[in-house]
């Protein structure tokens, strides 16, 4: 007789992807990867705040187009309303995603505020259970930490940041 043991699968990671979704395609790739992991039950994508709006105001719609394409049209999406506009870029692909694929978020300036999206997503989760993955500017993170430090301390287990340049 052969006995097989079934290992308990680890719990799904509760994840917020904070993305700049403009300028280059690393964010689209990160989203595709996370949505594939969600399909496998390895993560639960709670929200996607956009931290650097595209000058075409298509960043949130591009995020929604990708999420909708991968079968998750209801992921909460918000945009940075307080961050520096000097960081905005013009993306070749954000407007193409907005115009070429179904989405219903609308222009970045009409999307919900990223901090409100953070607040709602974090409040709905158990303490110490959320991972935040940040790609791009840290403006949304700075703002939620300024406004809701106790909420972040209570709910966030891990922060993963793709970082590049750190000016003096």
């Amino acid at each position: 007789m052969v006995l097989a043991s079934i290992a308990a699968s680890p719990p799904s990671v509760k994840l917020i992807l904070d993305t700049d979704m403009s300028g280059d395609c690393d964010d689209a790739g990160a989203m595709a990867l996370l949505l594939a992991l969600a399909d496998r039950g390895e993560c639960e994508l709670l929200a996607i705040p956009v931290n650097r709006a595209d000058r075409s105001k298509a960043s949130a719609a591009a995020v929604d187009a990708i999420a909708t394409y991968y079968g998750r049209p209801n992921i909460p999406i918000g945009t940075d309303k307080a961050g520096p506009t000097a960081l905005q870029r013009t993306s070749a692909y954000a407007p193409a995603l907005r115009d070429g694929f179904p989405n219903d978020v609308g222009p970045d300036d009409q999307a919900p505020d990223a901090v409100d999206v953070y607040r709602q997503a974090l409040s709905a989760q158990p303490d110490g259970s959320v991972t935040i993955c940040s790609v791009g500017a840290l403006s949304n993170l700075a703002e939620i930490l300024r406004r809701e430090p106790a909420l972040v301390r209570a709910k966030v287990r891990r922060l993963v940041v793709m970082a590049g340049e750190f000016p003096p």
Side-chain angles (χ1 to χ4, degrees), residues 7 25 52 87 137 139:
C25 62
R52 182 174 7 197
L87 294 177
S139 52

Side-chain angles (χ1 to χ4, degrees), residues 70-88:
Y70 284 96
R72 289 189 164 65
N74 298 317
I75 294 174
I77 299 167
T79 55
D80 181 355
K81 305 294 192 230
T85 56
L87 294 177
Q88 290 180 330

